[in-house]
Amino acid sequence: MKIYTSKILEQIKGNYIVGTLETDPSKIPNLGDSLEAITFSQQMNDIIFYVKPLSQEPTEIAELSQQQLNKSDLYIGFASKSIEWPIDFRYGNDSNLIQRRIDYLKNKMEGKLLLFNPVLRQQESKERVHKNLGEVTFEGDYISGREYIAVPRILMSPEEFEDVLLSEKPLNLESYNHAMPAPLFLLCGEYIYGNILDNQWKVDSSSNESARVIIASNNIKKVKIKESILNENICSDRGKIVFIDDQFIGETVSDMLNFEGLKIGEWEEKDRDSDESMITKEKLHPESADANNNEITEIDFIEYLEMKAYKKGLVYSKEDLINFHTSLKSSVFTILSGQSGTGKTQLAILYAESLGLTQDDKTVLVLPVSPSYTEPGDILGYLNPSSGLFVSAETGLTDFLIHAQNNPKQTHMLILDEMNLSQIEHYFSPFLSLLELNEENRRLKLYSSGAICHNNQVYTSSIQLRNNLIIVGTMNVDETTKDLSDRLLDRSNIITLRKQSFSIIKRKLEENKKIELNNQGAEDVYGQMYIDWKITSNDWSHFSEVEMNFFDQLDSLISNISTQKGLSIRNIMRMGLYIQNLPDFKEDSDYIIDRSKAIDLFIKQRIITKIRGSIEEYEELIGTVSSNDEIPTGDLFNLLSDRFVMDNISSFVVTKEELIRKARELGNYGYAT
């Protein structure tokens, strides 16, 4: 008998298989007190159950002969090792408790899909090996005859992923390590990649036990699958690996790959050659659109913004651009976060320029925040009691806000650069109190209305903050900056820009270096249309009953830990605004964030940002992981991985990525940020 090393046995346990109970008595081995799928075994002194696999098995297990496995391809589960019993089933009279547990398992397992870790146990003395199960998770209903393909999910943008493929760099296929056969399909973003040959894969043991390299990737193709259709054919989603219906991926997806699949490096905008790339289309010219603006859309504006970034040598993901645009429309205050040098301030400035805003005409103000700012007067100014004059701060903010108040039809943008160099809640406190009020109630007080001010014709006692005001903050996270309070996080979207790979930046800039950006009249039109694009009404009916029930569950989990960090009424209203302000995308457009993705992004940016603290406080909610292969077992991750939630609301890819990051911090440092 072949003897397996402890390393191989551990690798086998690091994977997942989907299966279901074997109900055919003729296939059940005689190990229990009865030939039932779930039974008690006097010999083992445990409840045992038999599961047949419905997805790929580790290579070592698949290669074992039927004789070595006691003439059975079933996995044998021991309840004491695989089942986490509810409190009601942990104690009681022995015989009564056994039957109650069997009934509980039958109710949970019969006719259901089961997700489990395979365990290979070997007895060298008897030259036997046994297929057992690790922890079992109960999934959805089992449809007879259906099988599934385990597909690794690549947690990076498709462009970054293809750059890795073309450069033959290692791919870290977490939850699908070297013990598994080479995958023939991969999922990245909205694309399924196929046409992969098993001999194209090389195991890269030098990196880790999950790293593989694809060689000669020119034959690989991809096809875009709508999230709703993909979710219909996924039976289990573990974040880094999904189980897709075998018939769907083996027939439907394979046919799509053959007939309409794009090769690596090709995109749906691939027809944008030197002539088509010229941003001189009639839609950007008011004069050729009869000045009625009917043909100009928000997507045109976002495309223009992206092209303008290319001309400045900057590359942003399309999702970040749409997310940023939608956030600005739906929230008075948006914060761009991320590593220094990723282009946060430049994106805000480019956005303002694309709307035709300039510092010369007082429609945009870039305010670099100083660590010395400790109170509102440092950025606004103060009333000098000796002279009776209001002295405006050198920042120019007061004059800028007055200009915005007096020109309500003209968009104005305030950019607070590196805003967390000082404590935001101190110098910016009046704004935080006002920004969530209706426009008519947003009056920023400069001084008491009864005070004597000789220049009150210029500087009135208060300024109205109108809907034409956009406020953007940029922030770095390092030892020189201040943490954000929950009060601030509850009032702003925190957008962390995705760091693009250097190869993608180089390729994008080379592809678009011949662009001629003729902006004659375009920015003026966008600036005029921007306010009309904004939807400002809050409508609770925008959410379905299913979504509201989910928000209640999410709030309950978080509020059980801290009542200050759950979902507030403000969160729900702002989420509704965010969804309503998503730009209408054109058919076959790459500039798309749909409803399910929007909910995912909003919860990550507005809710999960507030969950930070020690392992003692958050281990149950977030869970802990100590390696890249692990999936958090926290209550939040489990809720977001629920099949019903994923099918009817969102797959929560972005939010789960953030929870994994926080769980890793809890596991490694005992504190999540």
Side-chain angles (χ1 to χ4, degrees):
M1 183 190 76
K2 183 177 180 180
I3 304 300
Y4 298 100
T5 65
S6 58
K7 179 180 179 181
I8 290 178
L9 296 178
E10 283 300 313
Q11 284 184 359
I12 288 173
K13 287 194 292 185
N15 297 284
Y16 291 96
I17 295 177
V18 166
T20 191
L21 283 179
E22 178 55 79
T23 56
D24 186 347
S26 66
K27 296 181 180 179
I28 295 176
N30 190 19
L31 299 176
D33 295 353
S34 63
L35 293 177
E36 295 182 84
I38 305 172
T39 184
F40 186 76
S41 170
Q42 295 284 350
Q43 179 184 354
M44 308 290 184
N45 192 31
D46 201 350
I47 297 173
I48 60 176
F49 53 93
Y50 307 98
V51 177
K52 61 181 178 181
L54 300 174
S55 63
Q56 304 102 297
E57 299 177 85
T59 305
E60 287 79 10
I61 291 181
E63 290 176 348
L64 292 171
S65 68
Q66 292 285 325
Q67 291 76 18
Q68 288 177 305
L69 293 171
N70 301 323
K71 298 182 179 180
S72 174
D73 64 348
L74 303 180
Y75 286 80
I76 302 173
F78 296 89
S80 61
K81 297 179 180 179
S82 300
I83 304 300
E84 180 67 30
W85 298 108
I87 294 178
D88 294 348
F89 293 87
R90 294 178 185 174
Y91 311 101
N93 176 270
D94 286 349
S95 59
N96 181 48
L97 180 62
I98 290 172
Q99 189 56 51
R100 286 178 58 229
R101 285 180 169 179
I102 290 176
D103 293 341
Y104 169 80
L105 290 183
K106 286 182 177 179
N107 181 57
K108 283 287 188 180
M109 290 184 169
E110 288 181 348
K112 302 293 182 181
L113 288 168
L114 309 174
L115 182 72
F116 63 91
N117 301 108
V119 177
L120 188 62
R121 247 184 351 107
Q122 59 186 6
Q123 293 178 288
E124 298 179 29
S125 58
K126 297 182 180 181
E127 295 190 350
R128 291 180 181 174
V129 289
H130 304 278
K131 293 165 63 174
N132 296 140
L133 297 86
E135 184 178 349
V136 174
T137 302
F138 311 123
E139 300 288 343
D141 294 334
Y142 167 59
I143 299 177
S144 181
R146 185 166 291 184
E147 295 188 351
Y148 298 88
I149 297 288
V151 178
R153 173 184 269 137
I154 309 299
L155 297 179
M156 59 178 72
S157 72
E159 292 174 326
E160 292 173 316
F161 170 50
E162 294 187 22
D163 180 59
V164 170
L165 288 181
L166 292 170
S167 58
E168 297 189 1
K169 296 177 182 176
L171 282 168
N172 194 25
L173 304 183
E174 301 178 32
S175 302
Y176 196 97
N177 61 40
H178 295 167
M180 296 295 284
L184 303 182
F185 297 91
L186 298 169
L187 177 63
C188 183
E190 298 176 287
Y191 292 96
I192 290 181
Y193 291 76
N195 211 30
I196 306 171
L197 305 176
D198 55 5
N199 61 5
Q200 283 183 265
W201 287 102
K202 288 170 54 182
V203 168
D204 185 6
S205 301
S206 62
S207 298
N208 58 58
E209 63 183 27
S210 299
R212 302 181 192 234
V213 175
I214 292 184
I215 58 174
S217 58
N218 341 350
N219 60 298
I220 297 177
K221 290 185 176 182
K222 65 181 174 227
V223 64
K224 183 180 287 188
I225 306 292
K226 288 185 178 179
E227 185 177 20
S228 58
I229 296 176
L230 184 61
N231 287 340
E232 289 175 3
N233 290 280
I234 291 179
C235 74
S236 180
D237 186 341
R238 299 295 295 181
K240 297 172 184 176
I241 188 165
V242 298
F243 292 83
I244 304 178
D245 178 82
D246 176 76
Q247 185 174 353
F248 170 74
I249 201 167
E251 296 179 6
T252 304
V253 173
S254 292
D255 286 346
M256 292 173 68
L257 286 165
N258 288 334
F259 294 108
E260 57 188 85
L262 298 173
K263 292 184 178 180
I264 299 298
E266 290 184 346
W267 303 96
E268 292 185 345
E269 70 265 31
K270 61 184 181 301
D271 295 326
R272 238 179 17 178
D273 55 25
S274 57
D275 292 329
E276 291 295 322
S277 297
M278 308 289 275
I279 308 301
T280 57
K281 299 178 183 178
E282 291 183 355
K283 66 186 179 183
L284 294 183
H285 296 284
E287 64 271 18
S288 47
D290 297 326
N292 59 14
N293 303 334
N294 290 335
E295 296 181 2
I296 299 177
T297 68
E298 291 180 71
I299 296 301
D300 296 333
F301 167 72
I302 296 172
E303 289 178 343
Y304 179 77
L305 174 63
E306 185 177 38
M307 295 303 108
K308 195 174 182 69
Y310 288 151
K311 293 296 289 183
K312 297 278 190 179
L314 298 167
V315 177
Y316 303 98
S317 75
K318 290 179 172 58
E319 184 175 289
D320 280 346
L321 294 178
I322 300 172
N323 186 19
F324 182 55
H325 171 69
T326 306
S327 180
L328 293 182
K329 288 171 55 191
S330 59
S331 178
V332 182
F333 191 23
T334 297
I335 297 176
L336 290 172
S337 179
Q339 181 183 351
S340 179
T342 53
K344 301 182 293 295
T345 304
Q346 286 299 316
L347 175 58
I349 293 174
L350 282 169
Y351 192 93
E353 290 178 353
S354 298
L355 292 176
L357 311 182
T358 68
Q359 297 198 58
D360 289 340
D361 63 16
K362 298 182 180 180
T363 51
V364 62
L365 175 65
V366 180
L367 196 165
V369 172
S370 167
S372 64
Y373 294 162
T374 58
E375 59 184 22
D378 292 331
I379 61 173
L380 291 170
Y382 66 98
L383 178 63
N384 188 323
S386 300
S387 64
L389 296 175
F390 182 84
V391 181
S392 178
E394 293 181 354
T395 60
L397 178 57
T398 301
D399 295 309
F400 170 78
L401 295 176
I402 292 173
H403 191 272
Q405 172 190 250
N406 296 336
N407 296 273
K409 294 185 178 181
Q410 174 64 60
T411 302
H412 288 65
M413 189 167 181
L414 168 63
I415 301 172
L416 298 168
D417 193 25
E418 298 197 55
M419 65 180 304
N420 61 332
L421 281 178
S422 186
Q423 196 69 47
I424 303 167
E425 294 77 14
H426 293 170
Y427 72 84
F428 208 60
S429 58
F431 291 86
L432 298 181
S433 301
L434 294 172
L435 292 181
E436 295 299 325
L437 300 178
N438 293 329
E439 183 184 51
E440 58 268 25
N441 297 320
R442 288 202 301 262
R443 299 203 67 89
L444 178 68
K445 184 176 291 187
L446 297 181
Y447 53 87
S448 173
S449 58
I452 297 175
C453 179
H454 299 308
N455 57 348
N456 59 12
Q457 290 183 335
V458 178
Y459 299 107
T460 55
S461 62
S462 63
I463 304 171
Q464 186 173 14
L465 305 181
R466 299 185 183 275
N467 288 333
N468 66 331
L469 176 64
I470 304 170
I471 302 178
V472 179
T474 69
M475 56 175 277
N476 297 324
V477 181
D478 57 38
E479 68 278 2
T480 68
T481 60
K482 307 292 185 182
D483 290 335
L484 305 186
S485 69
D486 287 348
R487 179 169 175 250
L488 175 61
L489 293 171
D490 200 49
R491 288 165 168 78
S492 58
N493 287 338
I494 311 294
I495 298 176
T496 302
L497 295 181
R498 298 185 181 184
K499 184 179 177 181
Q500 303 290 303
S501 76
F502 302 130
S503 300
I504 288 177
I505 293 173
K506 181 176 182 292
R507 176 167 57 82
K508 283 285 188 181
L509 294 179
E510 288 178 348
E511 288 176 353
N512 295 279
K513 64 184 178 182
K514 295 183 179 180
I515 290 176
E516 292 183 9
L517 193 61
N518 186 345
N519 62 357
Q520 182 182 358
E523 293 173 352
D524 292 337
V525 173
Y526 290 140
Q528 293 166 13
M529 298 184 67
Y530 184 83
I531 294 178
D532 292 333
W533 287 338
K534 293 179 68 173
I535 297 174
T536 58
S537 60
N538 293 310
D539 186 3
W540 283 74
S541 65
H542 192 66
F543 292 106
S544 68
E545 195 66 26
V546 170
E547 289 169 335
M548 284 300 192
N549 289 335
F550 166 73
F551 298 149
D552 283 335
Q553 292 180 62
L554 182 63
D555 175 63
S556 177
L557 284 179
I558 300 174
S559 296
N560 284 339
I561 304 299
S562 173
T563 55
Q564 302 301 313
K565 297 182 186 293
L567 276 73
S568 63
I569 295 174
R570 178 190 294 116
N571 294 148
I572 301 299
M573 294 171 69
R574 285 298 175 190
M575 192 189 308
L577 272 179
Y578 183 92
I579 292 172
Q580 291 180 81
N581 274 284
L582 288 171
D584 293 327
F585 51 85
K586 296 176 290 188
E587 191 172 352
D588 299 326
S589 173
D590 280 335
Y591 298 85
I592 297 173
I593 292 181
D594 60 15
R595 183 186 184 87
S596 63
K597 185 70 171 181
I599 293 175
D600 183 14
L601 286 169
F602 191 93
I603 288 177
K604 185 260 185 183
Q605 294 167 180
R606 198 80 168 233
I607 311 301
I608 304 301
T609 51
K610 295 188 293 183
I611 300 175
R612 52 205 175 144
S614 66
I615 190 171
E616 290 81 5
E617 186 177 13
Y618 286 108
E619 184 174 15
E620 182 177 351
L621 183 66
I622 300 176
T624 60
V625 297
S626 56
S627 70
N628 293 334
D629 294 330
E630 294 183 62
I631 295 294
T633 56
D635 293 339
L636 271 182
F637 197 94
N638 291 337
L639 173 63
L640 301 180
S641 302
D642 182 87
R643 180 78 266 144
F644 181 84
V645 168
M646 292 170 61
D647 285 348
N648 293 279
I649 300 172
S650 173
S651 59
F652 289 108
V653 173
V654 174
T655 304
K656 287 192 282 190
E657 285 180 21
E658 180 67 4
L659 286 175
I660 291 172
R661 184 192 68 79
K662 289 179 179 285
R664 187 177 295 115
E665 285 187 343
L666 277 187
N668 292 335
Y669 311 114
Y671 195 91
T673 60

